[in-house]
Amino acid sequence: MDSKTIRAKHKEYMLPAVANYYQEPVVLHEGKGARIKDLDGNTYLDFFGGILTVSVGHANERVNNAIIQQVQRLSHVSTLYPTVPMVELAEKLIKLAPGNLKKVFFTASGTEADETAVNLAQVATGNLEVIALRHGYSGRSMLAQSLTAHSNYRSVPTQVAGIKHAMSPYCYRCPLKLEPSSCGVQCARDIEELIRTTTTGRIAGMLAEPIQGVGGFIVPPKEYLEIAAEIVRRYGGLMIIDEVQTGFGRTGKMWGAQMSGVEPDIMTMAKGIANGLPLAATLATPFVADAFKASTISTFGGNPVSCAAASAVLDEIEEHRLVENAARRGEELRVGLERIQKKYPKTIGDVRGMGLMQAIELVVDETIKDRTPNPKATLRLFEETKKRNLLIGKGGLYGNTVRIAPPLNVTASEVEESLKILDESFAAMGAN
Ligand SMILES: Cc1ncc(COP(=O)(O)O)c(C=O)c1O
């Protein structure tokens, strides 16, 4: 079958809401490392990795071998039985996790990991209300849609009560119209007023992404999480850190929350954990984990094949020092993007991110501070980069933020190649 046929069948059979990138979606067929081929034989540099998930590159040999060996041995038992891959992975994650996170519950998606986290916080504290962040994304279940603060991703009005959304630490579009150099991180301090005015005064916790991923790689001021955690804990709550996008070296550190001094009470992870196999984990302190007394199972949680893949991912990250590579290549990517921003100062309003999680926000005219989002320019950039064989991602409430997140083992020359394509693409679309 060719790409055209697949596109037509996709359109015929999938829910129309399943959006694809590009006017003519690319039908991806095989990959190796940071390169991916479509069904028509075109090869692209994949700088979005299935939404920050292909952490150690497509068809990674170590991960594939681990999958093949495990699938030939045993593919499924559910959480009702202990297995070697599940226990080995749990031990590795606990060794890597910050603070006192000593217990794990495995599920199959980030949505479930966040659901589990909120549930644990409610049971452990005896409180129900939860603080989430505007511009945050937690997934597609009813609770996750309620935690998510993007109208685009909410199919029905918020269904789950007791969730209050704090201001996003979105410095480029500061909700308080303050300057980062002198703001005193008022957005974090406002959480106290939010709790005192909109909740019963006792909360279960706050769920926060260290960098808001779907929101457009929004990086908070480095004091943000610490100020927020102090307030949340004073009102009886726990800190739930969602590392679904930021975990496993993506930011140039093992965990995104390491940018702060905050030790999470609960941490969630998914995406990059198993290089694309469905797996997620919720880690908790013994106090939190022990409080949960109800029976709980996850049919697909801790699937042995996914766990074997995740263990291989962690070995790959350690052996090839990929956290350091993410920091170094991330720095090169950032310097290059800032160089491009100087060439197109009207169009590129902001460059932000950490490590291999970098974003550029496109606006009408940054030189006169007209920061009106420019989603049309973003779409044009997508088409131009595609023509030049580079795949990138999109994000942000306004659809005007480009997300760039290659695999952690991307090389310096691949980063250079991507920057050249981006520069040429901006030129081709007449950016200035
Ligand atoms: C920060 C964050 N949390 C949770 C989720 C939900 O994960 P999943 O799509 O695996 O359910 C996502 C997905 O993009 C995410 O970015």
Side-chain angles (χ1 to χ4, degrees):
M1 265 198 263
D2 59 8
S3 288
K4 203 171 156 200
T5 314
I6 296 294
R7 275 193 291 271
K9 284 186 185 288
H10 188 279
K11 202 170 170 148
E12 185 178 353
Y13 299 126
M14 302 294 152
L15 227 62
V18 180
N20 289 138
Y21 281 159
Y22 308 110
Q23 276 165 12
E24 195 167 78
V26 187
V27 181
L28 296 171
H29 195 53
E30 59 181 270
K32 188 73 198 161
R35 309 265 169 192
I36 195 157
K37 244 187 200 177
D38 69 13
L39 205 48
D40 304 323
N42 303 303
T43 303
Y44 302 87
L45 203 46
D46 184 3
F47 268 41
F48 201 40
I51 325 181
L52 296 85
T53 294
V54 183
S55 44
V56 294
H58 293 285
N60 179 283
E61 212 172 309
R62 184 198 294 254
V63 177
N64 279 4
N65 284 338
I67 292 169
I68 292 162
Q69 281 172 26
Q70 185 58 45
V71 94
Q72 282 172 342
R73 215 166 22 238
L74 182 72
S75 304
H76 177 75
V77 292
S78 85
T79 50
L80 292 177
Y81 303 90
T83 64
V84 175
M86 186 196 281
V87 169
E88 277 181 357
L89 178 62
E91 192 167 33
K92 282 182 183 171
L93 290 176
I94 285 165
K95 276 196 187 131
L96 282 174
N100 193 30
L101 299 170
K102 301 290 178 213
K103 300 281 182 184
V104 186
F105 187 70
F106 288 115
T107 48
S109 68
T111 301
E112 294 167 86
D114 281 356
E115 288 257 357
T116 306
V118 168
N119 194 190
L120 282 172
Q122 289 173 326
V123 173
T125 61
N127 303 328
L128 290 180
E129 287 157 304
V130 177
I131 308 297
L133 276 172
R134 296 184 197 172
H135 297 267
Y137 183 85
S138 292
R140 53 180 310 287
S141 67
M142 283 300 172
L143 171 60
Q145 279 189 52
S146 301
L147 290 164
T148 293
H150 275 248
S151 50
N152 308 346
Y153 288 109
R154 204 175 276 131
S155 56
V156 289
T158 299
Q159 300 266 297
V160 178
I163 296 166
K164 308 292 171 189
H165 290 98
M167 280 182 270
S168 165
Y170 192 172
C171 297
Y172 183 64
R173 298 185 185 280
C174 175
L176 293 165
K177 308 276 178 270
L178 299 172
E179 285 301 321
S181 52
S182 57
C183 70
V185 204
Q186 288 308 319
C187 56
R189 299 186 198 284
D190 184 68
I191 293 169
E192 178 153 20
E193 169 112 340
L194 181 76
I195 295 170
R196 295 189 66 166
T197 57
T198 70
T199 75
T200 55
R202 300 294 296 168
I203 59 167
M206 173 175 185
L207 182 142
E209 301 164 68
I211 295 177
Q212 295 191 282
V214 171
F217 294 176
I218 297 169
V219 185
K222 65 177 185 324
E223 306 86 351
Y224 180 87
L225 279 179
E226 223 161 336
I227 297 170
E230 188 280 319
I231 297 168
V232 165
R233 287 176 171 145
R234 205 150 28 85
Y235 288 88
L238 302 176
M239 277 309 277
I240 304 169
I241 301 293
D242 177 338
E243 295 270 3
V244 167
Q245 294 212 9
T246 49
F248 302 105
R250 174 56 56 191
T251 63
K253 300 234 185 290
M254 182 52 82
W255 307 111
Q258 277 174 264
M259 73 169 93
S260 73
V262 172
E263 286 185 1
D265 301 291
I266 305 175
M267 192 159 104
T268 62
M269 50 192 78
K271 290 205 190 287
I273 189 172
N275 213 36
L277 266 73
L279 184 72
T282 306
L283 271 65
T285 60
F287 162 76
V288 172
D290 292 348
F292 198 90
K293 307 281 189 220
S295 298
T296 192
I297 59 162
S298 169
T299 303
F300 297 118
N303 172 275
V305 182
S306 296
C307 285
S311 270
V313 166
L314 294 180
D315 292 347
E316 192 77 353
I317 290 175
E318 190 185 344
E319 189 179 311
H320 297 291
R321 303 172 68 88
L322 295 185
V323 181
E324 288 93 325
N325 193 59
R328 247 181 269 126
R329 302 290 86 82
E331 185 55 29
E332 290 158 11
L333 181 60
R334 176 58 170 266
V335 167
L337 291 174
E338 286 175 357
R339 202 173 53 227
I340 294 174
Q341 184 184 28
K342 288 206 179 84
K343 279 181 84 172
Y344 309 101
K346 276 190 177 182
T347 312
I348 303 179
D350 196 25
V351 178
R352 57 175 178 257
M354 284 179 72
L356 288 173
M357 192 173 180
Q358 298 288 337
I360 48 182
E361 183 159 348
L362 306 191
V363 294
V364 168
D365 189 351
E366 179 67 21
T367 56
I368 55 162
K369 294 259 181 274
D370 182 352
R371 292 185 171 169
T372 307
N374 198 343
K376 278 200 185 130
T378 314
L379 288 179
R380 289 207 52 202
L381 183 70
F382 264 66
E383 295 303 328
E384 294 297 340
T385 45
K386 179 188 161 202
K387 271 190 223 161
R388 293 167 178 77
N389 303 79
L390 171 69
L391 302 184
I392 50 177
K394 200 150 59 103
L397 184 66
Y398 316 104
N400 67 325
T401 299
V402 176
R403 293 194 285 166
I404 305 171
L408 304 179
N409 50 7
V410 70
T411 63
S413 67
E414 286 163 343
V415 167
E416 208 41 58
E417 189 181 335
S418 74
L419 290 166
K420 188 164 175 281
I421 295 174
L422 280 165
D423 190 356
E424 286 169 7
S425 301
F426 275 112
M429 61 189 252
N432 43 26

